């Protein structure tokens, strides 16, 4: 009986004598929303930020577009004014170059009745002034054309037998300028009308009007 009482007085295993420890409390408060709601809210916030950024960029692009349109409109108006001024200045230069021609032509006509010879002299003076006016405009007269026929500078006004002259000309050679041509800046404004040698046979050379 004594041994049983001693055994009964010893404490038993801890698992039998003490209760289990409770689970530690989570220091962060629990999110009252479910996980799907939290993710959806974060995604919506990102979309709103992106939309705001794109709206700002769109407004900036629109402003740049409007400024570009305004700049181009100003450039177009300025260019139109400059072109108009340039055309007016060129017109005035040409007219001023030809006014002496008109003046001398009127003087020649005014004195034609009193002295017919003065008319001829006046016409020669008008011709000189007209040539000076053409030269002042940067145009060169093609009235001394020689050498071979060049379709870029000549047009055939006549075809002649080259063997009939004292100095026979080869076929295709220019023997006479029938009507002068004119060129400016190396570009032919009007080709010279020339007589071209056939070299002995009238059918051998280019015909009038040939390119």
């Amino acid at each position: 009986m004594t041994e049983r009482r001693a055994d009964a007085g010893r404490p038993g295993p801890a698992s039998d004598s003490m209760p289990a420890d409770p689970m530690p409390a989570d220091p962060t408060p629990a999110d009252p929303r479910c996980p799907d709601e939290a993710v959806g809210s974060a995604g919506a916030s990102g979309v709103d930020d992106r939309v705001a950024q794109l709206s700002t960029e769109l407004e900036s692009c629109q402003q740049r577009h409007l400024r570009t349109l305004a700049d181009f409109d100003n450039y177009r108006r300025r260019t139109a004014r400059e072109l108009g001024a340039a055309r007016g200045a060129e017109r005035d230069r040409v007219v001023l170059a030809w006014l002496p021609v008109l003046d001398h032509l009127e003087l020649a006509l005014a004195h034609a009745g009193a002295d017919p010879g003065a008319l001829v002299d006046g016409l020669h003076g008008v011709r000189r002034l007209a040539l000076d006016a053409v030269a002042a405009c940067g145009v060169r007269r093609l009235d001394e054309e020689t050498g071979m026929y060049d379709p870029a500078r000549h047009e055939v006004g006549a075809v002649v037998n080259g063997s009939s002259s004292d100095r026979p000309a080869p076929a295709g050679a220019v023997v006479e300028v029938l009507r002068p041509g004119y060129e400016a800046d190396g570009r032919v404004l009007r080709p010279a009308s020339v007589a071209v040698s056939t070299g002995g046979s009238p059918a051998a050379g280019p015909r009038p009007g040939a390119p």
Side-chain angles (χ1 to χ4, degrees):
M1 292 293 291
T2 303
E3 292 177 356
R4 282 197 299 271
R5 283 196 300 271
D7 296 335
R10 287 200 301 264
S15 58
D16 296 336
S17 58
M18 299 183 63
D21 294 336
M23 294 182 62
D26 190 353
T28 54
D31 191 343
R33 298 171 299 178
C34 65
D36 292 341
E37 292 178 351
V39 172
S41 177
S45 177
V47 170
D48 292 340
D49 293 342
R50 183 59 176 163
V51 169
Q53 179 184 0
L54 293 177
S55 299
T56 302
E57 294 178 357
L58 177 61
E59 183 178 359
S60 178
C61 291
Q62 289 175 340
Q63 293 297 328
R64 289 197 299 269
H65 177 66
L66 292 176
R67 285 195 298 269
T68 301
L69 288 179
D71 292 341
F72 178 77
D73 188 59
N74 293 334
Y75 168 77
R76 180 180 58 81
R77 294 180 180 179
R78 183 174 66 254
T79 302
R81 289 195 300 268
E82 292 175 353
L83 289 176
R87 284 194 295 265
E90 186 64 18
R91 177 204 59 212
D92 296 345
R93 186 177 71 87
V94 173
V95 170
L96 289 174
W98 280 93
L99 284 181
V101 178
L102 294 177
D103 294 339
H104 282 72
L105 183 59
E106 290 175 354
L107 288 174
L109 292 175
H111 293 83
D115 185 3
L119 177 61
V120 177
D121 295 337
L123 290 177
H124 283 294
V126 171
R127 178 180 179 275
R128 287 193 299 270
L129 289 173
L131 292 177
D132 292 340
V134 169
C137 294
V139 178
R140 190 172 76 88
R141 181 180 171 95
L142 305 177
D143 56 354
E144 297 180 356
E145 295 293 280
T146 58
M148 301 302 294
Y149 171 80
D150 183 359
R153 298 173 59 85
H154 307 141
E155 64 179 19
V156 179
V159 177
V160 297
N161 188 348
S163 62
S164 60
S165 61
D166 297 336
R167 299 178 61 183
V174 174
V175 297
E176 184 182 0
V177 176
L178 305 177
R179 186 194 64 192
Y182 295 89
E183 68 174 5
D185 299 328
R187 180 171 54 91
V188 175
L189 302 178
R190 188 183 76 178
S193 179
V194 296
V196 182
S197 171
T198 63
S201 174
R207 297 186 178 278

